[in-house]
Amino acid sequence: GQQLNQSPQSMFIQEGEDVSMNCTSSSIFNTWLWYKQDPGEGPVLLIALYKAGELTSNGRLTAQFGITRKDSFLNISASIPSDVGIYFCAGLRNAGNMLTFGGGTRLMVKP
Amino acid sequence: DVKVTQSSRYLVKRTGEKVFLECVQDMDHENMFWYRQDPGLGLRLIYFSYDVKMKEKGDIPEGYSVSREKKERFSLILESASTNQTSMYLCASRVGLNNSPLHFGNGTRLTVT
């Protein structure tokens, strides 16, 4: 299946800084999901987006479902050391289809 | 909370060995999945199952097979392990064929020497 283009591949930031990452595709998706994987753990769902243009927050995290349905963004405000991990976007075209994952963004936070 | 349990966190096997990776979920989910995770490539789907004894190939099924004899258990089998199958393997489950999110296990890091 087609892989989503996720960027950046990695980020090394100072504690307190804001973070932005995004996923783009040449195809339309009807659901966008953002997962975080802590070191040594499996991915855990952060935010699910089901409607084009939707903006959803979860604490310091905000994600948007792009209006074209071909992209999604995740922002983290005021980063802290426990934000370290790999963030994955995932898209779903239709119910019953399989998820397509981005390549991941590895976030490192310097205290 | 959904619990997806993978039986081994770390495995080291020799080339040519038959390898079994086990996954159990406790939420009566119909759908179960096996992914492998490699740096820069994200998660790639190997096989999935939407019911007992049912299986479907994912994006990279070559060199793998699966077994789902019971609803809660989904096994990934490497018939003859090769070094290019060294990877992190993630099991996941979800309820129904809808847009509900996947729930992942903690992964099995397999090294084939």
Side-chain angles (χ1 to χ4, degrees):
Chain A
Q2 179 192 7
Q3 192 173 46
L4 296 172
N5 299 310
Q6 185 172 348
S7 65
Q9 285 193 3
S10 63
M11 303 178 73
F12 188 57
I13 61 168
Q14 192 75 37
E15 182 177 1
E17 287 184 5
D18 297 342
V19 173
S20 289
M21 59 191 78
N22 69 84
C23 268
T24 61
S25 172
S26 57
S27 301
I28 287 174
F29 288 91
N30 292 317
T31 298
W32 284 92
L33 305 169
W34 284 93
Y35 285 85
K36 183 195 176 194
Q37 183 179 29
D38 288 325
E41 306 289 331
V44 173
L45 181 69
L46 296 174
I47 293 179
L49 302 159
Y50 298 108
K51 200 161 46 171
E54 181 180 354
L55 186 72
T56 298
S57 293
N58 178 6
R60 292 178 296 107
L61 278 62
T62 301
Q64 184 160 25
F65 190 142
I67 199 73
T68 66
R69 296 179 178 240
K70 294 182 179 180
D71 55 15
S72 180
F73 303 85
L74 176 70
N75 296 315
I76 305 172
S77 62
S79 59
I80 58 178
S82 61
D83 290 335
V84 163
I86 303 176
Y87 292 80
F88 290 102
C89 64
L92 183 66
R93 289 195 177 84
N94 295 298
N97 287 167
M98 294 302 108
L99 280 177
T100 300
F101 281 87
T105 295
R106 181 180 293 273
L107 179 65
M108 293 158 280
V109 179
K110 184 178 179 183
Chain B
D1 272 355
V2 176
K3 189 125 175 97
V4 180
T5 303
Q6 293 181 232
S7 55
S8 304
R9 293 298 295 269
Y10 300 95
L11 277 178
V12 180
K13 297 291 182 181
R14 291 183 184 272
T15 300
E17 276 193 77
K18 190 168 185 176
V19 182
F20 293 86
L21 303 184
E22 306 288 347
C23 175
V24 176
Q25 50 93 6
D26 65 358
M27 284 302 291
D28 204 36
H29 284 173
E30 292 87 352
N31 297 274
M32 297 188 73
F33 306 80
W34 275 105
Y35 289 86
R36 63 176 282 176
Q37 179 183 5
D38 300 289
L41 297 178
L43 278 66
R44 293 180 292 167
L45 182 63
I46 305 171
Y47 266 97
F48 66 98
S49 167
Y50 52 88
D51 203 350
V52 175
K53 295 193 187 295
M54 307 300 285
K55 60 185 179 183
E56 294 285 343
K57 293 180 180 179
D59 298 322
I60 51 165
E62 297 77 19
Y64 303 95
S65 63
V66 290
S67 171
R68 190 146 181 224
E69 296 297 318
K70 294 184 178 181
K71 192 174 186 180
E72 67 271 18
R73 185 180 297 271
F74 191 34
S75 304
L76 180 69
I77 303 156
L78 287 66
E79 296 290 341
S80 178
S82 62
T83 54
N84 63 12
Q85 292 177 310
T86 292
S87 187
M88 168 72 90
Y89 289 88
L90 289 163
C91 175
S93 72
R94 77 174 185 193
V95 56
L97 281 179
N98 51 31
N99 58 3
S100 61
L102 291 174
H103 299 270
F104 284 91
N106 282 339
T108 296
R109 185 166 292 282
L110 173 67
T111 302
V112 183
T113 61

